[in-house]
Amino acid sequence: MPKLDQDSITSMILKSGVILSLSLIILGVVLIFIRGGGDGISLSQIANYHNPGYTITSKSLLPANFLQGLINGDGLYFISVGLWVLIFTPLTVLIDALVTFGHERNKLYTLLDAIVLFNLLIAIFVIPRFIG
Amino acid sequence: MDPVSILLSFISVIVAGFLAGLLGSLTGLGGGTVLVPVLTLFLGIPIVFATGASLISTIATSAGSASGYTKSKIANIRIAIGLEVATTTGAIVGSLTLIAVYKTGLIWIIYVIFGLVLLISLVPTINRARFELPKPMKPDWTTRIFNLYGTYYDQKLRKQVDYHAVRWWLGEIVMFFAGFISGLLGIGSGALKVLGMDWAMNLPMKVTTTSSNFMIGITAATGSSIYWFAGYIQPFLAAATAIGVLAGAYLGSKILVRITNVRIRWIFFWVLAFLGVDMIFSGIAIKQGLPSTGTVSYIGFGVSIVISIVLLLLLYAKVRRDRLHA
């Protein structure tokens, strides 16, 4: 496999991740302003980030509801998905690198990459069950 | 609040993010380190939301700038991923520690630690980039086992640079702390990552800074996920900071190459020192149960300005003396 591709593919994943994320976030903000809120919450409550008790936080925006939120054209979910695209961008880079290390038969770095992926997946899927 | 004032407040956060991204990129400290103090001290945003918005925005700036570095093959992705074993572990421990600290109501500690980390980070940041290439060290056993060799084309030196890293284990230890601080304070902790690769592993400065930038995204993603489920990310605020910080960092990277006057960087360093001192003051004020607005905050501002000027003068004198001796 030509060496060129590993670095270029990483670069491309990072770039497209940022562009996709930012587009979703900006679209979400516009939707919130146009529709005067999102997820059944008013604009002024969404914008009240000075007051933790009175505003919406990521805790109530569950990934299970993301798809339905997007279908409903709900701005809060567009922002949420945009932010999650940011979290998944480095994950994609790690998966891509894992494949490359595997192709190169580089056992040590395949293992190290797998540990990093494991940590990230633990942070996304396991730890959330124990907090909150 | 009416929609117009909401829009204005939203724009003010974008501007704060923009300035943080710009300053973070010009000094090399990263957007989050500037963003959290600006949001808490100037815009009165609760520190949990500030750290949440900061950490997730950090992924955007890391990915944005790393896409350029990886393409030009300066960042060493292999070495970076190997070190991520420690940073991601550290980030998990750090984020869980923040949750524990927040639950016990000892949030003032976060202000103080933040201020201290900011001030301490200034030292290696100011000393940085004095030498393009490190003094050569003999490869050790980790160099061979972990294949810590690399090569890149240095535009400034106009030659292909072959390099190798040493003391992988020490790099991992420093990286664990870098990850811990990232998860605890919601910043990329680039200064600590640079320390790990530059001081501990003896990598060339260009490889260090670019690889550290690439690593920040993976570390921040780990912490951000935990922050999300803990409810520390306020979506509307994070939307504004992600847009602002990314734009600021982008502009910063464009003008950085044009800044030839080193003295102007001292003004930026002073701003950072001020933010660090004022964070410590705010933490102490919160511990003492003092109000965060009014007279107390003005006195804090004033005292912070004086202390930060004195600190910077001391650092400046030290740097001057070191250069004369070098």
Coordinates of all heavy atoms in Angstrom, one line a residue, chain A residues 85-128:
Chain A
V85 N -20.6 14.8 15.6 CA -19.7 14.6 14.5 C -18.3 14.9 14.9 O -17.3 14.2 14.5 CB -20.2 15.4 13.3 CG1 -19.1 15.4 12.2 CG2 -21.5 14.9 12.7
L86 N -18.1 16.0 15.7 CA -16.8 16.4 16.2 C -16.2 15.2 17.0 O -15.0 14.9 16.9 CB -16.9 17.6 17.0 CG -17.0 18.9 16.3 CD1 -17.0 20.1 17.3 CD2 -15.9 19.1 15.3
I87 N -17.0 14.6 17.9 CA -16.5 13.5 18.7 C -16.1 12.3 17.9 O -15.1 11.6 18.1 CB -17.5 13.2 19.8 CG1 -17.7 14.3 20.8 CG2 -17.1 11.9 20.6 CD1 -18.8 14.1 21.9
F88 N -16.9 12.1 16.8 CA -16.6 10.9 16.0 C -15.5 11.1 15.0 O -15.0 10.1 14.5 CB -17.9 10.4 15.3 CG -18.7 9.5 16.2 CD1 -19.8 9.9 17.0 CD2 -18.4 8.1 16.2 CE1 -20.5 9.1 17.8 CE2 -19.1 7.3 17.0 CZ -20.1 7.7 17.8
T89 N -15.1 12.3 14.7 CA -14.1 12.5 13.7 C -12.7 11.9 14.2 O -12.2 11.1 13.4 CB -13.9 14.1 13.5 OG1 -15.2 14.6 13.0 CG2 -12.9 14.3 12.4
P90 N -12.3 12.1 15.4 CA -11.0 11.4 15.8 C -11.2 9.9 15.8 O -10.3 9.2 15.5 CB -10.8 12.0 17.2 CG -11.6 13.2 17.3 CD -12.7 13.1 16.4
L91 N -12.4 9.5 16.2 CA -12.7 8.0 16.2 C -12.5 7.4 14.8 O -11.9 6.4 14.7 CB -14.1 7.8 16.7 CG -14.5 6.4 17.0 CD1 -14.1 6.0 18.4 CD2 -16.0 6.2 16.8
T92 N -13.0 8.1 13.8 CA -12.8 7.7 12.4 C -11.3 7.6 12.0 O -10.9 6.7 11.4 CB -13.5 8.6 11.5 OG1 -14.8 8.9 12.0 CG2 -13.8 8.0 10.1
V93 N -10.6 8.6 12.5 CA -9.1 8.6 12.2 C -8.5 7.4 12.8 O -7.6 6.7 12.2 CB -8.5 9.9 12.7 CG1 -7.0 9.8 12.7 CG2 -9.0 11.1 12.0
L94 N -8.9 7.1 14.0 CA -8.3 5.9 14.7 C -8.6 4.6 14.0 O -7.8 3.7 13.9 CB -8.8 5.9 16.2 CG -8.2 6.9 17.1 CD1 -8.9 6.8 18.5 CD2 -6.7 6.6 17.3
I95 N -9.8 4.5 13.5 CA -10.2 3.3 12.8 C -9.5 3.2 11.5 O -8.9 2.1 11.2 CB -11.8 3.3 12.6 CG1 -12.5 3.2 13.9 CG2 -12.2 2.1 11.6 CD1 -14.0 3.4 13.8
D96 N -9.3 4.3 10.8 CA -8.6 4.3 9.6 C -7.1 3.9 9.8 O -6.5 3.1 9.1 CB -8.7 5.7 8.9 CG -7.7 5.8 7.8 OD1 -7.7 5.1 6.8 OD2 -6.8 6.7 7.9
A97 N -6.5 4.4 10.9 CA -5.1 4.1 11.2 C -5.0 2.6 11.6 O -4.0 2.0 11.3 CB -4.6 5.0 12.3
L98 N -6.0 2.1 12.3 CA -6.0 0.7 12.7 C -5.9 -0.2 11.5 O -5.1 -1.1 11.4 CB -7.3 0.4 13.5 CG -7.3 -1.0 14.2 CD1 -6.4 -1.1 15.4 CD2 -8.7 -1.3 14.6
V99 N -6.7 0.1 10.5 CA -6.7 -0.6 9.2 C -5.3 -0.6 8.6 O -4.8 -1.6 8.2 CB -7.8 -0.1 8.3 CG1 -7.7 -0.8 6.9 CG2 -9.2 -0.3 8.9
T100 N -4.8 0.6 8.6 CA -3.4 0.8 7.9 C -2.4 0.0 8.7 O -1.6 -0.7 8.1 CB -3.0 2.3 7.9 OG1 -4.1 3.0 7.4 CG2 -1.8 2.5 7.0
F101 N -2.4 0.1 10.0 CA -1.4 -0.6 10.8 C -1.6 -2.2 10.6 O -0.6 -2.9 10.5 CB -1.5 -0.3 12.3 CG -1.1 1.1 12.7 CD1 -1.8 1.8 13.6 CD2 0.1 1.6 12.1 CE1 -1.4 3.1 14.0 CE2 0.5 2.9 12.5 CZ -0.3 3.6 13.4
G102 N -2.8 -2.6 10.4 CA -3.1 -4.0 10.2 C -2.5 -4.4 8.9 O -1.9 -5.5 8.8
H103 N -2.7 -3.6 7.8 CA -2.2 -3.9 6.5 C -0.7 -4.0 6.5 O -0.1 -4.8 5.8 CB -2.6 -2.8 5.5 CG -3.9 -3.1 4.8 ND1 -3.9 -4.1 3.8 CD2 -5.1 -2.6 4.9 CE1 -5.2 -4.1 3.3 NE2 -5.9 -3.3 4.0
E104 N -0.1 -3.1 7.3 CA 1.4 -3.1 7.3 C 1.9 -4.2 8.2 O 3.1 -4.4 8.4 CB 1.9 -1.8 7.9 CG 1.7 -0.6 7.0 CD 2.0 0.8 7.7 OE1 2.2 0.7 8.9 OE2 2.0 1.8 7.0
R105 N 1.0 -5.0 8.8 CA 1.4 -6.1 9.7 C 2.2 -5.5 10.9 O 3.1 -6.2 11.3 CB 2.1 -7.2 9.0 CG 1.4 -7.7 7.8 CD 1.6 -9.2 7.6 NE 0.8 -9.7 6.5 CZ -0.5 -10.0 6.5 NH1 -1.1 -10.0 7.7 NH2 -1.1 -10.4 5.5
N106 N 1.9 -4.3 11.3 CA 2.6 -3.7 12.4 C 1.8 -4.1 13.7 O 0.9 -3.3 14.1 CB 2.6 -2.2 12.2 CG 3.4 -1.5 13.2 OD1 3.7 -2.0 14.3 ND2 3.9 -0.3 12.8
K107 N 2.1 -5.2 14.3 CA 1.3 -5.8 15.4 C 1.3 -4.8 16.6 O 0.3 -4.6 17.2 CB 1.9 -7.1 15.8 CG 1.5 -8.2 14.9 CD 2.0 -9.5 15.5 CE 2.0 -10.6 14.3 NZ 3.1 -11.6 14.5
L108 N 2.5 -4.3 16.9 CA 2.6 -3.4 18.1 C 1.6 -2.2 18.0 O 0.9 -1.9 18.9 CB 4.0 -3.0 18.3 CG 4.2 -2.1 19.6 CD1 3.9 -2.9 20.8 CD2 5.7 -1.6 19.6
Y109 N 1.7 -1.5 16.8 CA 0.9 -0.3 16.7 C -0.6 -0.6 16.5 O -1.5 0.2 16.8 CB 1.5 0.6 15.6 CG 2.5 1.5 16.3 CD1 3.9 1.1 16.3 CD2 2.2 2.7 17.0 CE1 4.8 1.8 17.0 CE2 3.1 3.4 17.6 CZ 4.4 3.0 17.6 OH 5.4 3.8 18.3
T110 N -0.9 -1.8 15.9 CA -2.3 -2.2 15.8 C -2.8 -2.4 17.2 O -3.9 -1.9 17.5 CB -2.4 -3.6 15.0 OG1 -1.7 -3.5 13.8 CG2 -3.8 -3.9 14.7
L111 N -2.0 -2.9 18.1 CA -2.5 -3.1 19.5 C -2.6 -1.8 20.2 O -3.7 -1.5 20.8 CB -1.4 -4.0 20.2 CG -1.7 -4.2 21.7 CD1 -2.9 -5.1 21.9 CD2 -0.5 -4.8 22.4
L112 N -1.6 -0.9 20.0 CA -1.7 0.4 20.7 C -2.9 1.2 20.2 O -3.7 1.8 21.0 CB -0.4 1.2 20.4 CG 0.8 0.7 21.1 CD1 2.0 1.5 20.7 CD2 0.7 0.7 22.6
D113 N -3.2 1.2 18.9 CA -4.3 1.9 18.3 C -5.6 1.3 18.9 O -6.6 2.0 19.2 CB -4.3 1.8 16.8 CG -5.3 2.6 16.1 OD1 -6.5 2.6 16.5 OD2 -5.0 3.4 15.2
A114 N -5.6 -0.1 19.0 CA -6.8 -0.7 19.5 C -7.1 -0.3 21.0 O -8.3 -0.1 21.4 CB -6.7 -2.2 19.4
I115 N -6.0 -0.1 21.7 CA -6.2 0.3 23.1 C -6.8 1.7 23.2 O -7.7 2.0 23.9 CB -4.9 0.3 23.9 CG1 -4.3 -1.1 24.0 CG2 -5.1 0.9 25.3 CD1 -2.9 -1.2 24.6
V116 N -6.3 2.6 22.3 CA -6.8 4.0 22.3 C -8.3 4.0 21.9 O -9.2 4.6 22.5 CB -6.0 4.9 21.3 CG1 -6.6 6.3 21.3 CG2 -4.6 4.9 21.7
L117 N -8.6 3.2 20.9 CA -10.0 3.0 20.4 C -10.9 2.5 21.6 O -12.0 3.0 21.8 CB -10.1 2.0 19.3 CG -10.3 2.6 17.9 CD1 -10.3 1.5 16.9 CD2 -11.6 3.4 17.8
F118 N -10.4 1.5 22.3 CA -11.1 0.9 23.4 C -11.4 2.0 24.4 O -12.5 2.1 24.9 CB -10.2 -0.2 24.0 CG -10.8 -0.8 25.2 CD1 -11.8 -1.8 25.1 CD2 -10.3 -0.5 26.5 CE1 -12.3 -2.4 26.2 CE2 -10.8 -1.1 27.6 CZ -11.8 -2.0 27.5
N119 N -10.4 2.8 24.8 CA -10.6 3.9 25.7 C -11.7 4.8 25.3 O -12.6 5.2 26.0 CB -9.3 4.7 25.9 CG -8.4 4.1 26.9 OD1 -8.8 3.2 27.7 ND2 -7.1 4.6 26.9
L120 N -11.6 5.2 24.0 CA -12.6 6.2 23.5 C -14.0 5.5 23.5 O -15.0 6.2 23.9 CB -12.2 6.6 22.0 CG -12.9 7.8 21.4 CD1 -12.9 9.0 22.3 CD2 -12.1 8.2 20.1
L121 N -14.1 4.3 23.1 CA -15.4 3.6 23.1 C -16.0 3.4 24.5 O -17.2 3.5 24.7 CB -15.3 2.2 22.4 CG -15.0 2.4 20.9 CD1 -14.8 1.0 20.3 CD2 -16.2 3.1 20.2
I122 N -15.1 3.2 25.5 CA -15.5 3.1 26.9 C -16.1 4.4 27.3 O -17.1 4.5 28.0 CB -14.2 2.8 27.8 CG1 -13.8 1.3 27.6 CG2 -14.6 3.0 29.2 CD1 -14.3 0.3 28.5
A123 N -15.4 5.5 26.9 CA -15.9 6.8 27.3 C -17.2 7.2 26.6 O -18.0 7.9 27.2 CB -14.9 7.9 26.9
I124 N -17.5 6.6 25.5 CA -18.7 6.9 24.8 C -19.9 6.0 25.2 O -21.0 6.4 25.4 CB -18.6 6.8 23.2 CG1 -17.6 7.9 22.7 CG2 -19.9 6.9 22.5 CD1 -17.2 7.8 21.3
F125 N -19.6 4.7 25.4 CA -20.7 3.7 25.6 C -20.8 3.2 27.0 O -21.9 2.8 27.4 CB -20.5 2.5 24.6 CG -20.7 3.0 23.2 CD1 -19.7 3.0 22.3 CD2 -22.0 3.3 22.7 CE1 -19.8 3.4 21.0 CE2 -22.2 3.7 21.4 CZ -21.1 3.8 20.6
V126 N -19.7 3.1 27.7 CA -19.8 2.4 29.0 C -19.9 3.4 30.2 O -20.8 3.3 31.0 CB -18.5 1.5 29.3 CG1 -18.6 0.8 30.6 CG2 -18.5 0.5 28.1
I127 N -19.0 4.4 30.3 CA -19.0 5.3 31.4 C -20.3 6.0 31.6 O -20.8 6.2 32.7 CB -17.8 6.3 31.3 CG1 -16.5 5.5 31.5 CG2 -17.9 7.4 32.3 CD1 -15.2 6.2 31.3
P128 N -21.0 6.5 30.4 CA -22.2 7.2 30.6 C -23.3 6.4 31.4 O -24.1 7.0 32.0 CB -22.7 7.4 29.1 CG -21.4 7.4 28.3 CD -20.5 6.5 29.0

